[in-house]
Amino acid sequence: MKKQHHYTIAMTWTGNNGKGTQDYSSYSRSHTIYAENKPALECSSDSAFRGDTTKYNPEELLVASLSGCHMLWYLHLCADSGIIVIAYTDNAKGIMQENADGSGEFQQVTLYPQVTVLHDSMKEKAMALHAQAHHLCFIARSVRFPVLHEPTIVTG
């Protein structure tokens, strides 16, 4: 087994509107995430839970983490395989089911990577590497819901 990696963030609730959590509607869900040597990330809850739609919410960050992890592994595998990727975008979508008691869980996340490779001869291998990237993605391996991927490969 290889070494452990540790990740540390600091998070501060910034939503005290003067009354603290006196009642459910008296406070903002705003909070800021900090990590050393990185810009602060302004966050809130989903608007369905009284959040600020102009800020990232934890659910979006989870979907973004899955998308980013897949992309980074995929680019690594392409580089190792001689596949020249010249563009990569993803429009990932997550589905979360809210339960009657207010809890909830993600049902699935689907990644929709659109990859542009240099030559037509690279398309088949480029498509196949998505399965390996999925298998290697740390975040996808850590969640208990399906993470699907529906890639498109084009040449540029």
Side-chain angles (χ1 to χ4, degrees):
M1 185 180 254
K2 284 189 158 187
K3 65 181 177 175
Q4 289 185 335
H5 300 270
H6 299 264
Y7 302 93
T8 303
I9 62 101
M11 199 248 329
T12 302
W13 172 51
T14 58
N16 184 345
N17 294 327
K19 297 180 182 180
T21 57
Q22 182 176 350
D23 60 57
Y24 187 71
S25 62
S26 68
Y27 63 95
S28 164
R29 277 58 178 171
S30 295
H31 54 285
T32 305
I33 297 173
Y34 305 92
E36 189 173 342
N37 299 317
K38 296 178 177 95
L41 189 58
E42 298 298 324
C43 301
S44 186
S45 63
D46 184 309
S47 62
F49 308 107
R50 303 184 60 84
D52 183 340
T53 60
T54 67
K55 298 177 181 180
Y56 290 101
N57 64 56
E59 295 81 11
E60 290 169 327
L61 295 175
L62 177 60
V63 174
S65 293
L66 287 160
S67 177
C69 185
H70 182 89
M71 179 195 70
L72 293 168
W73 267 111
Y74 181 78
L75 295 175
H76 175 138
L77 294 169
C78 285
D80 286 352
S81 299
I83 305 299
I84 301 170
V85 174
I86 56 175
Y88 185 111
T89 60
D90 186 10
N91 293 300
K93 296 180 182 177
I95 300 170
M96 187 187 76
Q97 177 67 48
E98 186 180 354
N99 299 318
D101 66 358
S103 68
E105 58 270 337
F106 270 81
Q107 301 296 302
Q108 75 179 41
V109 168
T110 305
L111 309 178
Y112 296 94
Q114 177 149 353
V115 180
T116 304
V117 296
L118 190 58
H119 300 292
D120 279 335
S121 62
M122 299 176 173
K123 289 172 75 172
E124 185 176 337
K125 179 68 173 176
M127 182 64 83
L129 288 175
H130 281 286
Q132 190 175 357
H134 173 72
H135 172 73
L136 293 169
C137 173
F138 310 141
I139 310 299
R141 293 173 62 95
S142 300
V143 298
R144 65 179 190 177
F145 54 83
V147 179
L148 311 173
H149 54 279
E150 296 185 18
T152 303
I153 311 291
V154 298
T155 52

